[in-house]
């Protein structure tokens, strides 16, 4: 296997740059360029020397003997000064060693997966952690990276293997007197696992929202002050405002961090019947996006008829309070009246939705969980047909187990790996 290397820190000028080396020749290379590598899990200050023994830089050198390293292989990290010239010289030097090459995107993490240092769900958690922009995203990604989902999958897998073993024991002793009826224990195991899988699958919808951002649509009639409110919430002129009704024709999106939650605010076209084809298209898109949003903020007068009916969690406020003088539920993007209260209500509502979050965070996870749930439902139907069909029930249980194993990357995921690792940068 090749020894790989790459810059593990962000490219460009910096105080410190980290160069990572992993593979069977990592320690030999370190000794060649430093004179003497540090003992495992120690750090030392060394001069890094080139092919002609010239000093390229002075660096902090760390070594991690496998399998107790990130990749599971021997790993050396060089913390050099973050000069573009220094990094370029070191990468050029490393490329001269035989059986050594520049790492591909995500290759360090892929080796960690292949050496069973991480499961596939943890790999996805690491990718999410690198991309995290808000506190909620960071916490969620860290939970997955810490292996909590893999641990739960292993518990479910053990329970299903136990249930399958009980059924298969009954099959093996079909011609003999079986002293114990296994059906109650099997049913209890299937009920427990099935309920937990369903709860986890439901939680993926919230988890995906935390990864990708909640959508909050601002809805109202033309010239209700939606764009002015959006600008006030965003703290900048994100949308054009005008006294002319119908100024906003398309959906305008502004992404922001709201109390640690990723939120995309949607400024929609004013809702009204219009003979203008372009405006009518904008209204249609506004209705479509509003219905798909996680939360809707309606700017509407008390006696106003709404084209979309508010749902229980939606927020209704009275617009242009600076002109109408409305105090209760009044809001004004111009003066700021009610804006802080609106932000607090949105944050509270989305935080309540976030409380239903699960450990599974990706669409792939949800599909695997639902496949397992479907298999368990089929097992329940088969069991009701009696012991003569226990072999079919055991086979269906094995399908459920395989779905869970695919979730953490034990089987049948080779076609996913290339797609997953392309999201990683070189050096990770």
């Amino acid at each position: 296997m090749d020894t790989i290397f790459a810059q593990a820190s962000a490219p460009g000028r910096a105080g410190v740059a980290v160069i990572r080396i992993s593979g069977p020749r990592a320690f030999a290379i370190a000794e060649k360029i430093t004179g003497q590598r540090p003992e495992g899990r120690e750090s030392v200050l060394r001069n890094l020397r080139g092919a002609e023994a010239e000093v390229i830089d002075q660096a902090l050198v760390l070594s991690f003997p496998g399998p107790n390293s990130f990749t599971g292989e021997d790993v050396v990290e060089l913390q050099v000064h973050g000069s573009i010239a220094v990094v370029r010289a070191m990468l050029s030097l490393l490329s001269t060693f035989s059986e050594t090459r520049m790492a591909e995107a995500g290759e360090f993490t892929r080796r960690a997966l292949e050496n069973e240092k991480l499961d596939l769900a943890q790999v996805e958690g690491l990718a999410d952690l690198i991309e995290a922009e808000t506190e909620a995203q960071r916490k969620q990604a860290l939970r997955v990276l810490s292996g909590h989902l893999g641990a739960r999958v292993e518990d479910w897998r053990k329970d299903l293997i136990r249930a399958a073993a009980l059924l298969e024991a009954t099959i093996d002793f079909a011609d003999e007197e079986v002293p114990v009826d296994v059906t109650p224990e099997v049913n209890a195991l299937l009920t427990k696992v099935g309920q937990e899988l369903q709860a986890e699958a439901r939680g993926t919808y919230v988890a995906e929202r935390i990864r990708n951002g909640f959508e909050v649509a601002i809805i109202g009639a033309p010239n209700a002050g939606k764009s002015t409110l959006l600008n006030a919430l965003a703290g900048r002129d994100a949308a054009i405002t005008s006294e002319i009704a119908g100024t906003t024709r398309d959906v305008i999106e502004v992404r922001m961090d709201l109390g640690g939650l990723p939120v995309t605010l949607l400024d929609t076209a004013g809702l009204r019947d219009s003979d203008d084809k372009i405006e009518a298209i904008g209204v249609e898109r506004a209705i479509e996006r509003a219905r798909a949003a996680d939360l809707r903020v309606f700017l509407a007068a008390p006696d106003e008829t709404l084209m979309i009916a508010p749902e229980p969690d939606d927020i209704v406020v009275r617009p242009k309070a600076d002109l109408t003088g409305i105090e209760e539920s009044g809001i004004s993007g111009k003066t700021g009246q009610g804006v802080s209260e609106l932000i607090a209500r949105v944050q509270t509502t989305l935080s309540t939705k976030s409380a239903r979050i699960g450990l599974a965070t990706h669409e792939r996870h949800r599909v695997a969980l639902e496949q397992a749930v479907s298999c368990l439902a089929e097992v329940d139907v088969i069991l009701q047909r009696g012991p003569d069909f226990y072999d079919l029930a055991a086979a269906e249980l094995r399908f459920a187990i395989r779905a869970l194993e695919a979730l953490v990357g034990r089987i049948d995921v080779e076609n996913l790996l290339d797609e997953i690792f392309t999201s990683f940068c070189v050096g990770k």
Side-chain angles (χ1 to χ4, degrees):
M1 176 180 287
D2 289 341
T3 296
I4 58 175
F5 65 90
Q7 182 177 350
S9 54
R13 195 173 287 107
V16 175
V18 178
I19 297 173
R20 177 180 291 161
I21 312 167
S22 178
R25 300 205 63 218
F27 287 171
I29 292 171
E31 290 177 359
K32 182 72 174 178
I33 62 179
T34 66
Q36 181 183 2
R37 73 169 178 87
E39 296 298 322
R41 299 188 147 345
E42 290 185 358
S43 59
V44 295
L45 192 64
R46 291 279 189 268
N47 286 330
L48 306 183
R49 298 183 180 274
E52 304 298 326
E54 77 281 10
V55 175
I56 297 176
D57 191 23
Q58 190 176 63
L60 192 65
V61 182
L62 302 92
S63 66
F64 306 90
N68 299 316
S69 69
F70 175 71
T71 62
E73 305 170 333
D74 291 341
V75 172
V76 173
E77 290 191 355
L78 310 174
Q79 296 187 10
V80 302
H81 292 96
S83 155
I84 293 174
V86 168
V87 172
R88 184 185 296 123
M90 285 306 306
L91 295 179
S92 177
L93 173 63
L94 292 173
S95 67
T96 64
F97 291 94
S98 61
E99 300 177 6
T100 304
R101 60 174 173 79
M102 180 76 80
E104 298 175 359
E107 191 168 4
F108 289 107
T109 307
R110 186 159 187 162
R111 291 193 177 191
L113 174 68
E114 292 169 347
N115 292 325
E116 298 183 356
K117 305 300 292 184
L118 300 172
D119 63 38
L120 189 57
Q122 287 177 290
V123 168
E124 291 166 318
L126 177 57
D128 291 342
L129 184 60
I130 293 171
E131 296 294 327
E133 297 178 348
T134 70
E135 183 67 5
Q137 290 173 329
R138 181 192 68 79
K139 289 180 178 179
Q140 175 175 282
L142 197 58
R143 288 169 67 212
V144 180
L145 176 58
S146 299
H148 289 77
L149 178 58
R152 292 210 71 187
V153 168
E154 186 59 27
D155 289 340
W156 294 327
R157 180 175 172 274
K158 286 179 180 178
D159 285 344
L160 295 185
I161 289 175
R162 169 66 179 170
L166 290 171
L167 292 176
E168 287 170 351
T170 303
I171 297 167
D172 291 340
F173 293 96
D175 297 330
E176 303 177 23
E177 189 72 23
V178 180
V180 179
D181 181 9
V182 302
T183 306
E185 183 177 355
V186 170
N187 285 334
L189 288 169
L190 297 185
T191 299
K192 170 182 172 291
V193 174
Q195 290 175 346
E196 292 178 358
L197 289 176
Q198 289 175 9
E200 193 64 48
R202 288 193 296 269
T204 59
Y205 292 101
V206 178
E208 283 188 69
R209 280 311 192 198
I210 289 180
R211 281 180 56 242
N212 300 322
F214 289 96
E215 288 195 347
V216 177
I218 303 174
I219 306 168
N223 209 21
K226 299 183 297 301
S227 297
T228 302
L229 176 59
L230 176 74
N231 291 341
L233 294 170
R236 59 186 176 88
D237 289 338
I240 299 172
T241 60
S242 168
E243 296 299 324
I244 301 172
T247 299
T248 302
R249 298 296 183 94
D250 205 349
V251 177
I252 298 172
E253 301 183 7
V254 174
R255 192 171 176 87
M256 61 186 298
D257 182 337
L258 196 61
L261 294 173
V263 175
T264 300
L265 296 174
L266 308 177
D267 176 21
T268 61
L271 303 186
R272 68 173 178 178
D273 294 325
S274 175
D275 295 329
D276 185 320
K277 290 185 178 180
I278 303 300
E279 185 180 359
I281 293 172
V283 171
E284 185 179 339
R285 288 181 179 177
I287 292 173
E288 182 180 331
R289 289 296 297 275
R291 285 176 173 160
D294 302 287
L295 179 65
R296 284 150 291 277
V297 176
F298 288 85
L299 303 187
D303 57 349
E304 186 175 338
T305 301
L306 301 172
M307 293 182 69
I308 304 176
E311 297 182 8
D313 287 340
D314 290 341
I315 299 171
V316 181
V317 292
R318 309 309 179 195
K320 297 189 174 183
D322 56 308
L323 300 178
T324 62
I326 295 177
E327 292 290 335
E328 185 177 355
S329 298
I331 195 165
S332 170
K334 283 188 175 181
T335 66
Q337 177 186 336
V339 172
S340 296
E341 291 80 358
L342 174 61
I343 291 174
R345 289 181 66 184
V346 171
Q347 184 177 332
T348 299
T349 302
L350 296 183
S351 295
T352 302
K353 291 177 180 288
S354 299
R356 299 191 291 270
I357 188 174
L359 286 170
T361 56
H362 288 249
E363 174 70 8
R364 184 183 71 81
H365 302 167
R366 183 186 63 79
V367 170
L369 291 168
E370 290 182 348
Q371 285 177 344
V373 169
S374 177
C375 290
L376 295 188
E378 186 63 24
V379 171
D380 185 58
V381 172
I382 295 172
L383 288 178
Q384 295 179 26
R385 297 165 65 184
D388 290 343
F389 297 91
Y390 279 5
D391 55 339
L392 297 178
E396 199 67 36
L397 271 176
R398 284 192 287 273
F399 288 133
I401 293 168
R402 285 176 64 85
L404 295 178
E405 290 175 339
L407 194 157
V408 292
R410 287 194 177 190
I411 59 167
D412 295 342
V413 292
E414 278 300 319
N415 58 326
L416 290 171
L417 296 184
D418 289 338
E419 179 180 347
I420 289 172
F421 285 110
T422 54
S423 67
F424 283 83
C425 58
V426 173
K428 198 62 184 174

